Amino acid sequence: MSRAFPFIRPPADVVIAGPWSYAVADGTEELPRELPDWDYDSVLSIRRPVQIDGLRARRLSGLAEDAEVDFTVRWASRSSALRGRAWRAEVPARDGIEIDIEFDLDGDELGGVLDLDTVLTLRRSTEGASPAAACRPGSVLWNEKFSIVLQGDAVLFPLAIADFHYLPYPTKASWYLEIGEDLDAAALGSILLLANERREVVVNALAAAGAPSVADRRVLSALRTDVQRALIERALTHEDFADDVDYPTGSLGAVLTAVLRMTFPAFSLEALRRERLSEPALFTSRVQDATDLLAAP
């Protein structure tokens, strides 16, 4: 079902956007929907050619010709809960404007699914606009979203391989997710996945996460479900956590909120807490269902 806007929007063809591309060693390549070889130490250098009819967009939106309009690219990482503005340009009141979008994204802020939202927005309306035209700054006149899966089935947080014999964890355990207590602290500094080097099947699956075999996918599926379970349980057991608090962007609290909403959008925080206490087996099965544990690759 299409969304109804409370103001006039121009037709989609006022923006003709070319394909996304990214820099590689010998030039550029079209940006795929998945980047299995991506890692946290990499920088994504992203490019895109765009043609905009700035005058026609204003006229067909009911805006005056001197209205101030911006063209912006916003990014958001679903695993880290970080987001920001990657690029912005003012759109002059003339047609056939050719623009080259260019920006870099640091890998240490990304992970999981990266969303790129391209938007044409009103920055300031002026006199002479139609009563049906957008009037609030930030009103979206045109938009398009592109999503990229980073790492495929790889883990979504910093990872370390260690011998659990020398750590305060069970020696035969396969992994352990360390989660901090400070909900306002940066998530990437508060969450660490430790994999036990004694469990070769796990270490090998993590090493092959960019191009996993069927067996590797099974291991990674179990790992991802358990990581998600651990994050959810930290949210449910942390006495200070609340899902209606506006935690700082990129914080541990923001990540826990995002994971809860993504996994259980139809359940309230209190309902999940009650079920975990009264029906722990059912709660565990619900997490498995929500994360599609061991689904066929």
Side-chain angles (χ1 to χ4, degrees):
M1 182 173 63
S2 61
R3 177 183 174 187
F5 287 82
F7 50 81
I8 303 171
R9 297 225 309 170
D13 64 1
V14 296
V15 177
I16 299 176
W20 289 104
S21 62
Y22 71 115
V24 294
D26 55 352
T28 60
E29 292 182 1
E30 185 169 341
L31 192 61
R33 290 287 183 172
E34 290 191 23
L35 279 177
D37 296 328
W38 175 90
D39 61 61
Y40 290 101
D41 294 327
S42 64
V43 175
L44 273 179
S45 296
I46 298 177
R47 309 287 183 266
R48 191 185 203 186
V50 175
Q51 181 176 299
I52 306 174
D53 288 342
L55 181 59
R56 192 164 67 97
R58 288 170 170 83
R59 288 176 175 171
L60 296 180
S61 299
L63 297 168
E65 292 186 10
D66 59 348
E68 296 177 12
V69 176
D70 286 344
F71 198 61
T72 307
V73 178
R74 304 166 183 159
W75 66 272
S77 171
R78 298 186 196 176
S79 65
S80 68
L82 294 175
R83 62 186 62 242
R85 185 176 70 189
W87 178 92
R88 183 187 71 84
E90 296 182 14
V91 179
R94 65 175 188 272
D95 292 336
I97 306 161
E98 294 186 355
I99 298 176
D100 289 320
I101 297 173
E102 297 185 4
F103 58 89
D104 295 338
L105 294 176
D106 292 331
D108 59 3
E109 295 184 328
L110 309 178
V113 178
L114 171 64
D115 294 318
L116 298 177
D117 196 12
T118 310
V119 292
L120 185 69
T121 58
L122 175 68
R123 181 151 50 93
R124 188 177 69 87
S125 185
T126 57
E127 292 184 3
S130 164
C135 58
R136 293 184 179 180
S139 295
V140 176
L141 307 176
W142 178 96
N143 70 295
E144 178 205 72
K145 179 174 286 188
F146 184 86
S147 298
I148 312 151
V149 179
L150 303 175
Q151 284 189 296
D153 284 317
V155 296
L156 305 181
F157 300 105
L159 165 71
I161 309 296
D163 188 340
F164 278 25
H165 178 73
Y166 301 104
L167 296 175
Y169 307 126
T171 303
K172 297 178 186 177
S174 295
W175 55 73
Y176 183 84
L177 188 69
E178 292 186 348
I179 311 174
E181 290 286 341
D182 186 353
L183 296 172
D184 293 326
L188 291 180
S190 303
I191 303 173
L192 174 64
L193 178 63
L194 292 165
N196 190 354
E197 69 178 26
R198 294 174 177 240
R199 293 300 192 191
E200 291 186 7
V201 65
V202 176
V203 175
N204 292 340
L206 288 168
S213 66
V214 172
D216 292 332
R217 288 186 183 275
R218 301 296 190 190
V219 175
L220 292 170
S221 175
L223 172 59
R224 290 167 68 89
T225 289
D226 198 51
V227 165
Q228 205 155 328
R229 176 204 56 77
L231 291 170
I232 292 168
E233 292 205 341
R234 174 50 57 89
L236 300 182
T237 58
H238 197 301
E239 61 181 14
D240 295 327
F241 177 80
D243 57 356
D244 58 352
V245 174
D246 188 16
Y247 294 105
T249 299
S251 66
L252 174 61
V255 168
L256 295 181
T257 301
V259 169
L260 269 179
R261 290 175 179 171
M262 176 183 66
T263 311
F264 297 120
F267 288 81
S268 69
L269 180 63
E270 291 308 314
L272 290 170
R273 281 174 168 159
R274 286 194 302 269
E275 182 173 273
R276 180 182 173 274
L277 288 174
S278 63
E279 298 282 351
L282 175 60
F283 173 78
T284 298
S285 294
R286 199 178 299 283
V287 174
Q288 294 175 4
D289 175 74
T291 57
D292 213 12
L293 175 64
L294 299 180

